[in-house]
Amino acid sequence: MTTETQHPYQLLCIGNPLLDMQTSDGSLLDKYNLKPNDAIRASLEQMGIYEDISNAPDIQFVAGGAAQNTARGAAYILPPKHVVYVGCVGDDDLADKLREANAREGVESAYLVKKGEQTGACGVITTGHNRSLVTTLRAAHMFEKSHLSSTDVAACIKGANYFYITGFFLSHGVESALELCETASGDGKVIAMNLSAPFIPQHFKVQLETILPYADFVLGNESEAESWGSAAGLPDPKDHAAVARAISLLPKSNLARPRVVIITRGADSTVV
């Protein structure tokens, strides 16, 4: 990438970059023992699905991964050259397709490239109103903290005023997230974090507790909120307002800005 020093990117998102490979070939569900509406990590027996999808006549490639999806959504709303995405990819054609997909939607790619590794992918099989997701992280979980100090990424961090981090990234990149948060929070910049999935508060509680003090905005859905409430030992994890209040009152690095917690609940009212 080439850093736009005169027009710095205002929003920097960091996470696990995946190339979504989409098809409507329902025969793959039976072939790989998949449910029509599900989201799983691919087993060894299911790794062949990515080659099968790549050969599907209706294949579509879309930049994916939770933080990258957020970056794409923000780029749709914001003016050009406002959003940059940081993550780790392999040195393969999937990474090239990710760059192309991001460029089409106005997102600048600031990838760490791992030589000899494959880019993370998500097989997406749509049948009617159902969608089955099969993910393999590959290089996405190999991010290195040193990438934050590279010339282009350091310039992006310095220029950005808003940062977005997913809970998924904390499963392997908490040291990188902490360095980014300490820098951004120390400069009084805004940090938003998404809980991402119920298993994050349950299985990566320590990592989450490391980053939450820096978060100005915390987002999640009802299942993720209940998971956090249970992990935190709240008396009623299903009391979403109480969970949001508890998260908002956690220790905070930047005391000049109160923490805002947003819990979406499908068709029900959102808790703020």
Side-chain angles (χ1 to χ4, degrees):
M1 66 169 288
T2 300
T3 304
E4 300 283 346
T5 54
Q6 294 182 340
H7 303 283
Y9 299 96
Q10 290 299 297
L11 171 63
L12 185 149
C13 301
I14 187 170
N16 300 331
L18 304 173
L19 181 67
D20 285 355
M21 308 166 65
Q22 302 180 356
T23 181
S24 58
D25 184 357
S27 68
L28 295 174
L29 296 175
D30 290 332
K31 182 176 181 179
Y32 290 100
N33 192 28
L34 300 171
K35 298 176 182 178
N37 195 34
D38 202 3
I40 65 169
R41 292 277 182 90
S43 66
L44 288 176
E45 293 76 18
Q46 294 167 326
M47 286 299 179
I49 193 171
Y50 304 105
E51 183 175 355
D52 283 350
I53 294 178
S54 67
N55 294 325
D58 65 341
I59 186 173
Q60 290 185 315
F61 294 104
V62 179
Q68 200 158 227
N69 287 337
T70 298
R72 291 168 52 226
Y76 181 78
I77 299 171
L78 297 172
K81 299 187 182 300
H82 266 59
V83 184
V84 61
Y85 177 80
V86 178
C88 185
V89 297
D91 58 345
D92 55 9
D93 62 331
L94 296 188
D96 293 335
K97 287 182 171 62
L98 266 183
R99 294 185 186 91
E100 293 167 3
N102 276 343
R104 285 195 303 269
E105 301 191 41
V107 176
E108 182 65 43
S109 303
Y111 295 135
L112 168 65
V113 178
K114 294 292 286 185
K115 299 295 183 183
E117 299 292 344
Q118 292 180 298
T119 297
C122 180
V124 183
I125 304 169
T126 57
T127 51
H129 296 292
N130 295 318
R131 186 178 67 165
S132 189
L133 308 178
V134 190
T135 298
T136 178
L137 290 178
R138 297 171 175 167
H141 76 287
M142 300 178 185
F143 190 87
E144 299 174 3
K145 186 173 66 172
S146 59
H147 188 55
L148 300 177
S149 302
S150 63
T151 302
D152 284 337
V153 176
C156 289
I157 293 172
K158 182 178 180 180
N161 286 310
Y162 302 90
F163 297 82
Y164 181 83
I165 302 169
T166 62
F168 290 129
F169 187 74
L170 303 186
S171 67
H172 62 87
V174 66
E175 291 184 0
S176 299
L178 179 59
E179 179 170 307
L180 181 63
C181 287
E182 287 177 340
T183 300
S185 182
D187 291 337
K189 298 179 178 181
V190 177
I191 300 169
M193 196 190 76
N194 199 310
L195 296 176
S196 295
F199 74 85
I200 296 296
Q202 290 291 331
H203 300 297
F204 297 96
K205 183 174 182 287
V206 173
Q207 292 88 333
L208 193 58
E209 290 174 345
T210 301
I211 302 302
L212 276 174
Y214 301 94
D216 299 296
F217 291 86
V218 176
L219 305 97
N221 61 28
E222 68 271 40
S223 297
E224 295 153 5
E226 291 168 15
S227 176
W228 185 90
S230 177
L234 297 189
D236 183 7
K238 292 185 179 296
D239 185 341
H240 302 144
V243 172
R245 189 178 304 110
I247 296 175
S248 72
L249 295 176
L250 291 173
K252 194 166 186 300
S253 173
N254 182 3
L255 298 177
R257 184 182 295 116
R259 180 181 293 115
V260 176
V261 181
I262 302 170
I263 299 175
T264 60
R265 302 191 295 174
D268 294 332
S269 59
T270 296
V271 174
V272 180

